[in-house]
Amino acid sequence: DIHANIGHVEDVQQVLDNDADGIGLLRTEFLYLGNNMDCSEEGQFQAYKKVLEKMQGKRVVIRTLDAGADKQAAYLGMAREENPALGCRGVRLCLERRELFRTQLRALLRASVWGNLEVMYPMIISVAEVQKIQEILKEAREELTKEGIPWKDFPQGVMIETPAAVMISRELAAEVDFFSIGTNDLTQYTLAVDRQNGNLGAYYDPRHPAILQMIRMVVENGHAQGCRVGICGDLGSDPELTKVFVKMGVDELSVPPASILPLREVIRNSRAGAENS
Ligand code: PEP
Ligand code: MG
């Protein structure tokens, strides 16, 4: 399947225009970064509901807040750090600010009633983080039930974008329903190259054999536990690797909307090629 990556509610039209099988990554930083965005529980609920309704039952994977490093959010008043890419970013910030996270989880549980929602967590490095998320999720469900507000559970996944997550992917697979490999950060952290430093362009190589080996390992470990494995980093839209990913058993690619039709063509041609040979 080929899914779309987007970062705003308005981008859903592009997803539909390009005939994606679903949304594989909806980044939610827009709620906190943009001017006059409403990141209250109700504001988030309305935004997610709108996306789910527009997608008419197609799968929508929403990623919880991934602020920090390359995604600064002044609104959150985050502390200054010497090395923000190695700092309190992604799920770390959410686990430190439980109220902020609970608000987003409540909005997601409520929105889930309105479509085919799945939720994933960024920057995971341990099983303990996934378990802490489950505790907060449990509190959120109990609160909603007590308040008489309708909600529905959703399948959950983790982003595999740190070498640690790759190495413990077998253990992580036992905790979640799917993996989404974030090759942008995985490249940064594996090759020790700042993804934002243009001067290091020659070193920032997502096709590095180390990355391809890691993807292979994640697919094997994920599948061994019945966990779906997709790629949502930019490498997923590299047409020269599409065949390689299919062969590795990658279940889905999530790419920018404009890459969907060209990639589908690549897959169709490679299938035709395989049948004729
Ligand atoms: C990634 O790291 O590959 C990814 C998809 O997430 P982002 O680019 O938003 O960090
Ligand atoms: Mg990332």
Side-chain angles (χ1 to χ4, degrees):
D1 278 17
I2 305 186
H3 286 63
N5 292 345
I6 58 170
H8 287 278
V9 174
E10 305 86 71
D11 298 342
V12 176
Q13 196 51 49
Q14 284 183 58
V15 175
L16 297 170
D17 292 347
N18 286 282
D19 190 33
D21 296 310
I23 294 173
L25 167 61
L26 170 56
R27 296 181 169 99
T28 55
E29 292 75 56
F30 73 92
L31 290 162
Y32 305 86
L33 295 173
N35 297 328
N36 61 49
M37 279 310 302
D38 181 1
C39 61
S40 67
E41 178 183 319
E42 187 61 25
Q44 292 192 44
F45 166 67
Q46 294 297 344
Y48 305 150
K49 175 173 179 256
K50 195 166 162 188
V51 173
L52 289 163
E53 286 183 330
K54 280 200 159 181
M55 290 302 292
Q56 298 188 9
K58 285 185 177 171
R59 178 170 174 242
V60 174
V61 181
I62 297 184
R63 180 174 76 186
T64 58
L65 179 66
D66 186 25
D70 54 302
K71 305 173 191 76
Q72 285 303 324
Y75 163 86
L76 296 169
M78 294 166 65
R80 223 182 221 305
E81 294 174 305
E82 195 79 34
N83 291 304
L86 304 180
C88 187
R89 58 161 301 197
V91 80
R92 297 174 190 173
L93 182 78
C94 288
L95 292 175
E96 288 223 338
R97 302 203 192 172
R98 284 174 80 120
E99 279 312 310
L100 180 83
F101 196 32
R102 202 197 334 249
T103 299
Q104 183 166 36
L105 293 174
R106 281 178 55 119
L108 288 165
L109 285 165
R110 290 173 57 192
S112 179
V113 173
W114 297 88
N116 187 0
L117 175 66
E118 303 195 358
V119 172
M120 68 180 176
Y121 312 104
M123 285 299 293
I124 293 291
I125 61 160
S126 70
V127 169
E129 288 166 336
V130 180
Q131 291 168 343
K132 274 187 203 147
I133 293 169
Q134 304 314 308
E135 279 171 27
I136 303 173
L137 202 49
K138 183 164 171 268
E139 289 168 16
R141 287 189 199 103
E142 286 168 0
E143 286 172 4
L144 290 171
T145 302
K146 222 196 273 167
E147 295 163 25
I149 299 172
W151 59 273
K152 194 174 139 233
D153 263 322
F154 36 70
Q156 298 177 68
V158 289
M159 298 269 306
I160 303 288
E161 52 185 349
T162 62
V166 173
M167 297 310 290
I168 61 162
S169 48
R170 192 167 280 259
E171 288 77 12
L172 286 171
E175 306 284 325
V176 296
D177 305 298
F178 66 96
F179 286 159
S180 190
I181 305 175
T183 54
N184 307 338
D185 277 310
L186 188 58
T187 303
Q188 154 164 276
Y189 295 123
T190 302
L191 305 184
V193 180
D194 180 353
R195 64 189 270 190
Q196 289 181 283
N197 185 340
N199 295 330
L200 293 177
Y203 293 98
Y204 186 87
D205 175 19
R207 292 174 166 184
H208 191 292
I211 306 295
L212 297 177
Q213 281 285 359
M214 284 175 148
I215 295 174
R216 191 188 309 277
M217 182 173 171
V218 171
V219 172
E220 276 172 17
N221 285 338
H223 285 178
Q225 304 270 4
C227 195
R228 275 177 288 130
V229 182
I231 299 177
C232 69
D234 293 343
L235 192 67
S237 54
D238 183 339
E240 294 188 26
L241 288 175
T242 312
K243 256 193 198 173
V244 175
F245 294 146
V246 170
K247 215 167 160 192
M248 282 182 186
V250 172
D251 300 300
E252 70 203 26
L253 298 171
S254 192
V255 303
S259 300
I260 291 169
L261 295 175
L263 267 194
R264 197 168 274 153
E265 194 65 14
V266 172
I267 293 176
R268 191 173 298 136
N269 289 340
S270 70
R271 283 209 184 113
E275 274 158 22
N276 293 335
S277 63

